[in-house]
Amino acid sequence: MSAQSVPIPQTRGTTLDISSLPSDASSSSLWDRLSTWASENKAVVYSIAGVAVVITGAGVVYYLNNSRGEAQAEEKRRASKKERRKAKKEKEKEEVEKDAAPTKVEESDSVKKQPTVEAEPAEELPKVDESTVDLLSDQERKEFATKLKIAGNKAYGDKSYNEAIELYGKAILCKPDPIFYSNRAACYNALGEWDKVVDDTTAAIALDSEYVKALNRRANAYEHLEKYSEALLDYTASCIIDSFRNDQSAQSVERLLKKVAEAKAKAILEGKEKKLPSPTFVTNYLQSFRPRPPPAGLEETAELDEGTGKGQLKVGLTAMSTRTGEGFENASASFDKALELGDLGEYEGFAYNMRGTFRYLRGENADALEDLSTSVKLQPSLTQSFIKRASMHLELGNREAAANDFEQAMEQNKEDPDIYYHRAQLHFILGEFAEAAKDYQKSIDLDRDFIFSHIQLGVTQYKMGSIASSMATFRRTIKNFDKVPDVYNYYGELLLDQQKYQEAIEKFDTAVEMEKQTKPLGMNVLPLINKALALFQWKQDFQEAEKLCQKALIIDPECDIAVATMAQLLLQQGKVTEALKYFERAAELSRTEAEIVNALSYAEATRTQLEVQEKYPQLASRLQGMGGGIGGPAMR
C-alpha cells in the first residue's frame, strides 16, 4: 500500500479487527517489519525483550503479512469465545488436578527416594501441630511430612480440598517444602481463593526461586485478581526458566501483554488531548485523494475578506498546501472558524467536508462522522464525503455501511476514479485481493495520472504472489512517474522483502533526494526509516540506522513510526531503558486505541525485562546468555 493512498486511519491490526485498520500503508509496512520479525523469531525477542511481543492482537495490516485465511480464523476464534473460555477453565482445572493427583503430582526429594511409601489410613497419620512439632527429631519431621503430603495428595485427588489443605499445612509444619506450599495453593486454586493461592505460591517461590509450577500458579491467581502486571512478570520469569519451550506460558505472556496494554490504552485515551497526528501522516492521508483545484471562487487569487466564512475557507486551503505541521493546524482552525462565521452559501457542504476531515484526523470520530453526514446531505455530488464516511464506517466495524456509502458515491458519479481506488483499499484490507486488483485497474483506466493507483496495483500483485507482474508494474510506474519519490520508496520496500538490499537502499536514497528537492518543508520521512531498517537487516549497522531515525525525528518529531523504529533498534542493542522511553513516546503519539495498544505492548514487554532483571538477577544473566549468540536478525 502506499502511504499516500489510503483513506482509512493509520491503525494497525494483523487480524480482521475493523477497529485497527491502517490508513498509512507505508507506516504500516514499517510496523509490520518490526512485528513480523518478532513473530518469526520469538526466542530472539524473548532474549532481547524478556517476553514475546503481542503481534496477533495489535499488529499491522501490510501487503507482506496477513491473509484472508488468518482473518477468517480470527473471526472463528472470536465467534467461539464463550466456548473457549469454558474449555480454558476446564483445562486449567485438569492441569491443577494433574499437578496434585497422588500418582502424578510432583514429589519432594525425600518422597522420591521412597517410591514404595503408601498413604496410611487417616487414623494412623502422625498427630502433629504447632505445639508438638518442636518435639520431633529431624528424621521424624521428614517422615511425618512425607506421610502427610501423600495423604494430602490422596485427599486432593478425591476433591476433598479442605482436608488436603489441612494435611499439607501439617506437612509444612514438619518441613517447609516448596512443593507442599504449591500443592496447598492448588487446593486454594480449586476453591477460587486467589489471595491464598498468591500467599502459598509466594512462599514456595521464596524457597525455590525457579519453581516454574508455582510461578505459573501464582500468575494465574494474579490474573484472576486482575493484577495483570504482576501476572505478566511471573509468566515471563517462567518462560525464561523453561527456555521458552512452554507454549502455554508463552501464550499467557502474549495474552497478559494485551490485557495490560489495553487497560493502559483506555486510560491514555481518556486523558489524551485531541490533536493532529504528524505532518507525514496528514500529508499521506490527504494525498490519498486525487488532487483537485479549489472550488470556483476559493482560488488563491480570489479576493475574500478573511473575516468571513468564505474567506476562512480560502485561508484554510492555502495553509493546507504548505504540508507542514503548522500549516495543518492553521488549516484546521480556519475550517472550524469558517463554519462558526457561516454565510457559506454553495460552499457549506464543502466546509463540512473539510472540518470533518480534520476532526477525523484529530481522532474526534463522532463529530467527524456527523460533519461528513451533513456534507453528503448538503452536497451529494461531493463524492469525497461519501468515501471518507465509508472509511470511518469501516474503522468502526460497519462494513455494510461502508459498502453502502461507496454505492451512493457511484450513484452520484460512477466515473469518479477515487471511488474505485478507495473501494479497492477496502477489498485489500479484507484480503480480497482479486477484487482489489480489479478496482485499482478501473481507477487507472479512468485516470492514469494518479500514481498511487499504479503503486497499489503493483503491491496487490505482489501480495497475490505474482512477483514478476508486480515488479513489471513498478518498473513501468517508475518510467512514467520518474520524478515522484513515492514510487521509489515502495519499490524499495518490495526489493527489501526479497533481500535485494543494495537495490533497495538505492531506491530509498533516490526517494530521499527527491523528497528534499520537491518538499523541503514537508519531507516524507518514511524513506529514511526504510533505509534504516534495510541497513540493520543487511549489515546490522546500528549506528547508521540510528542516525537515520534521528534525522527523521528532527524533520518530523511527531512521527510515531520513527519513534518506534528507534525503540526497536535500541532494544536490539540491549539498551532496554532507552528503548522503553521511545516505546512510551510512540504510545503518546499514537492516534487510535489500536495504535496505542500496539505501542504499549512493546513498552510493557520492555518494562517487564527490566523488572525481571531487578527481581530475578540470575534470570537476567541467563537471558543475556541465551541471546548472546543469536546475532542480528532481520526486521522485515
Side-chain angles (χ1 to χ4, degrees), residues 130-315:
E130 292 182 359
S131 64
T132 61
V133 69
D134 290 337
L135 302 176
L136 301 175
S137 67
D138 289 343
Q139 184 60 34
E140 287 175 323
R141 288 189 184 192
K142 289 180 182 179
E143 291 175 357
F144 283 16
T146 298
K147 293 179 180 180
L148 290 163
K149 191 259 189 180
I150 292 173
N153 287 351
K154 184 178 185 304
Y156 185 94
D158 294 338
K159 299 185 179 180
S160 300
Y161 301 123
N162 289 316
E163 180 186 350
I165 287 170
E166 183 180 355
L167 290 165
Y168 288 136
K170 291 181 178 180
I172 290 168
L173 278 177
C174 295
K175 179 187 176 186
D177 187 297
I179 292 177
F180 301 169
Y181 279 109
S182 182
N183 283 0
R184 189 170 68 178
C187 299
Y188 289 128
N189 186 91
L191 296 172
E193 297 184 33
W194 307 115
D195 286 316
K196 291 182 178 179
V197 174
V198 170
D199 290 342
D200 270 0
T201 50
T202 299
I205 294 164
L207 294 169
D208 181 356
S209 62
E210 297 190 13
Y211 192 178
V212 169
K213 189 169 292 187
L215 282 166
N216 286 338
R217 193 163 278 153
R218 186 172 69 177
N220 178 61
Y222 276 140
E223 191 169 358
H224 279 88
L225 293 168
E226 298 185 359
K227 296 181 177 181
Y228 299 131
S229 294
E230 290 88 341
L232 176 59
L233 181 60
D234 277 351
Y235 276 130
T236 299
S238 169
C239 283
I240 297 169
I241 293 168
D242 264 351
S243 301
F244 321 107
R245 291 189 296 265
N246 188 323
D247 288 340
Q248 187 174 349
S249 295
Q251 290 166 9
S252 296
V253 167
E254 294 181 0
R255 183 182 67 253
L256 265 296
L257 270 174
K258 186 178 180 183
K259 280 188 177 181
V260 173
E262 286 177 342
K264 292 191 175 184
K266 284 182 172 62
I268 289 175
L269 277 175
E270 288 174 2
K272 189 176 179 64
E273 177 189 358
K274 300 294 185 182
K275 64 177 184 178
L276 292 176
S278 73
T280 298
F281 184 104
V282 177
T283 297
N284 292 344
Y285 176 81
L286 295 175
Q287 287 187 168
S288 71
F289 294 88
R290 284 167 170 76
R292 290 189 172 94
L298 296 179
E299 301 91 343
E300 192 170 351
T301 56
E303 295 183 4
L304 295 170
D305 183 355
E306 292 186 7
T308 66
K310 295 176 184 177
Q312 282 299 307
L313 276 181
K314 177 193 166 186
V315 170

Side-chain angles (χ1 to χ4, degrees), residues 6 9 62 70 86 101 115 129 131 171 205 280 288 295 305 308 336 342 372-373 440 481 490 510 556 589 621 631 633:
V6 191
Y62 173 51
E70 291 170 351
K86 181 179 178 181
D129 56 33
S131 64
I205 294 164
T280 298
S288 71
D305 183 355
T308 66
D336 286 345
L372 292 171
S373 295
Y440 287 134
F481 299 90
Y490 299 112
T510 300
D556 187 354
L589 293 173
S621 59

Side-chain angles (χ1 to χ4, degrees), residues 483-607:
K483 303 300 182 186
V484 182
D486 304 275
V487 66
Y488 295 94
N489 182 51
Y490 299 112
Y491 188 34
E493 288 193 357
L494 299 190
L495 292 169
L496 181 56
D497 185 68
Q498 298 171 65
Q499 299 184 4
K500 297 179 179 179
Y501 302 116
Q502 186 63 54
E503 292 180 64
I505 289 174
E506 288 173 3
K507 295 298 182 291
F508 296 142
D509 283 337
T510 300
V512 168
E513 290 305 313
M514 287 186 175
E515 288 282 351
K516 290 178 182 178
Q517 295 170 14
T518 59
K519 296 178 281 187
L521 297 178
M523 178 180 171
N524 187 334
V525 299
L526 299 180
L528 288 171
I529 304 170
N530 268 327
K531 182 179 178 182
L533 291 173
L535 287 171
F536 168 79
Q537 182 175 340
W538 185 19
K539 300 180 178 180
Q540 290 77 56
D541 189 344
F542 289 107
Q543 185 175 5
E544 186 60 28
E546 280 189 39
K547 285 182 181 178
L548 289 166
C549 286
Q550 291 287 12
K551 186 174 182 179
L553 287 169
I554 291 171
I555 296 169
D556 187 354
E558 303 289 296
C559 183
D560 61 332
I561 299 298
V563 172
T565 304
M566 177 63 79
Q568 283 285 0
L569 291 170
L570 291 168
L571 199 60
Q572 302 304 304
Q573 299 172 75
K575 300 176 181 178
V576 183
T577 304
E578 294 176 64
L580 178 58
K581 293 177 182 177
Y582 276 94
F583 281 130
E584 290 175 336
R585 175 61 175 157
E588 292 173 5
L589 293 173
S590 297
R591 179 177 160 275
T592 67
E593 184 175 357
E595 292 177 354
I596 296 171
V597 168
N598 192 49
L600 286 176
S601 295
Y602 281 96
E604 290 306 313
T606 307
R607 192 191 319 280

